[in-house]
Amino acid sequence: MSTFSITLDHFSSELKPDRAKALFKASVNQVEIETFTYCNRACWFCPNSRIDRRSENRYMDEALYLRILNELAAIEYDQVITYSRYNEPLADRIILTRLRQARQLLPKACLSTHT
């Protein structure tokens, strides 16, 4: 894993696109994605214990998901993409399609999940 230094560029809103992409690639070593909302648990420490995430499963728009992957592919992202957040990633078979899409577009990325 490489190390990086925080520079003034990290706080600039006027970066050229190529510099912004290089900065992102050098600085971000994990991207977390929630492809749908369903969770079958109500763990006491999780916001889901107070929010209904069982009665309806809302999916991330596929166009948005592919846009994220394509933008990561444009910088040859090769770090971690984790499928988690406030859902149960293995509760819906759509995760298999999403993983295939990620592997196709980001062959060097490490795909992981927390279940």
Side-chain angles (χ1 to χ4, degrees), residues 12-109:
S12 175
S13 61
E14 300 177 7
L15 289 180
K16 293 184 178 179
D18 287 343
R19 177 67 182 135
K21 289 176 183 178
L23 192 61
F24 181 93
K25 185 172 182 177
S27 304
V28 176
N29 61 18
Q30 180 173 299
V31 174
E32 188 170 11
I33 301 174
E34 181 179 282
T35 58
F36 57 85
T37 60
Y38 178 80
C39 186
N40 59 337
R41 303 291 307 269
C43 302
W44 66 268
F45 56 83
C46 180
N48 287 347
S49 65
R50 295 175 290 283
I51 300 169
D52 178 18
R53 286 215 167 198
R54 292 184 190 151
S55 61
E56 181 183 6
N57 189 10
R58 296 178 57 193
Y59 295 89
M60 174 187 276
D61 182 69
E62 184 176 26
L64 173 60
Y65 178 72
L66 292 174
R67 179 180 172 189
I68 293 167
L69 295 183
N70 282 312
E71 288 184 7
L72 291 170
I75 62 167
E76 298 180 10
Y77 185 78
D78 60 358
Q79 297 298 313
V80 177
I81 298 176
T82 185
Y83 294 85
S84 55
R85 201 73 192 128
Y86 295 117
N87 73 334
E88 171 47 54
L90 302 180
D92 193 303
R93 294 185 61 84
I94 191 87
I95 193 67
L96 300 174
T97 301
R98 297 295 174 255
L99 290 171
R100 273 192 297 275
Q101 291 165 320
R103 180 52 62 223
Q104 180 180 15
L105 292 168
L106 299 160
K108 295 180 181 177

